[in-house]
Amino acid sequence: MIHEILEVDESSSFDDLAVKFGSFLGLPGSAPTNALLRAINDPVYAQNLIISRQSAPFLNALLNDPGNKMYGVEEEKELTNKDLIKRAGTALLNWTKSGFTVVSDEVLEKREDACLSCEHLVKPEKFLQKLVTSKSKDTIGKRAADCVCKVCGCSISKKIKAASEACPVTMPGNPALNKWGEPKY
Ligand code: SF4
């Protein structure tokens, strides 16, 4: 049932995502924009929302959390930012469908090593990307926390953790693998 409710594809609009996420949470209409944007950018918040969907008081508290206010769309007028929202929404929903599965520490380090040596690793320029990055630290999983992938626009520290994510670029010289060294699918 979860799979059917959250089925989205690259052509889904932000409004489509809001309607589907609202339905999944048991809301009478679309998920509030700020809450959905926060859920897209903050996996812990997203997980809390989903866990709380059987409890109206908890769900309402999360949907009305003052921390959601910073996730507005006023500054997101450019098409490129809309694309980022769409991609992030698809990534969130794919991760949701995978049951929030995260990779092992070994895979995390391998993915991060690949990103750290990749020419597509860049500092964020867009408002949304700046929101989801943080200061990098010298610990596995946080070494590229201040960077995004130029190709897909994702926050690297979040992308490399989710088992449902994949590097979008082919490994040079090996069309069967992506730059993380994982099979392309
Ligand atoms: S996800 Fe892939 S393309 Fe993007 S920075 Fe990492 S290795 Fe490079």
Side-chain angles (χ1 to χ4, degrees), residues 21 33-50 62 65-71 85 88-89 91-93 95-96 100 128-129 131-133 142 155 157-159 161-162:
F21 203 51
T33 299
N34 288 359
L36 177 55
L37 281 170
R38 183 174 176 184
I40 287 169
N41 292 292
D42 180 349
V44 174
Y45 176 75
Q47 191 164 6
N48 287 338
L49 270 181
I50 292 166
L62 286 166
D65 188 292
N68 298 354
K69 284 187 184 151
M70 67 186 289
Y71 293 89
I85 291 171
L92 167 72
L93 295 175
W95 191 43
T96 304
F100 296 104
L128 263 185
Q129 292 177 318
L131 268 184
V132 297
T133 49
K142 298 283 183 193
S155 157
S157 61
K158 293 178 175 62
K159 183 178 181 70
K161 269 184 215 152

Side-chain angles (χ1 to χ4, degrees), residues 97-118:
K97 285 188 283 186
S98 80
F100 296 104
T101 307
V102 294
V103 297
S104 67
D105 290 348
E106 191 183 330
V107 172
L108 183 68
E109 184 171 7
K110 190 177 171 197
R111 285 181 172 188
E112 193 173 51
D113 283 344
C115 289
L116 285 168
S117 63
C118 177

Side-chain angles (χ1 to χ4, degrees), residues 111 114-116 118-122 148-152 156 159-160 166-169 179-180:
R111 285 181 172 188
C115 289
L116 285 168
C118 177
E119 70 274 23
H120 300 302
L121 187 77
V122 294
V148 295
C149 173
K150 194 174 179 181
V151 179
C152 61
I156 288 298
K159 183 178 181 70
I160 58 177
C167 167
V169 174
K179 287 195 82 178
W180 288 346

Side-chain angles (χ1 to χ4, degrees), residues 9 13 60 70 81 95 133 146:
D9 57 37
S13 67
N60 285 334
M70 67 186 289
N81 278 329
W95 191 43
T133 49
D146 58 344

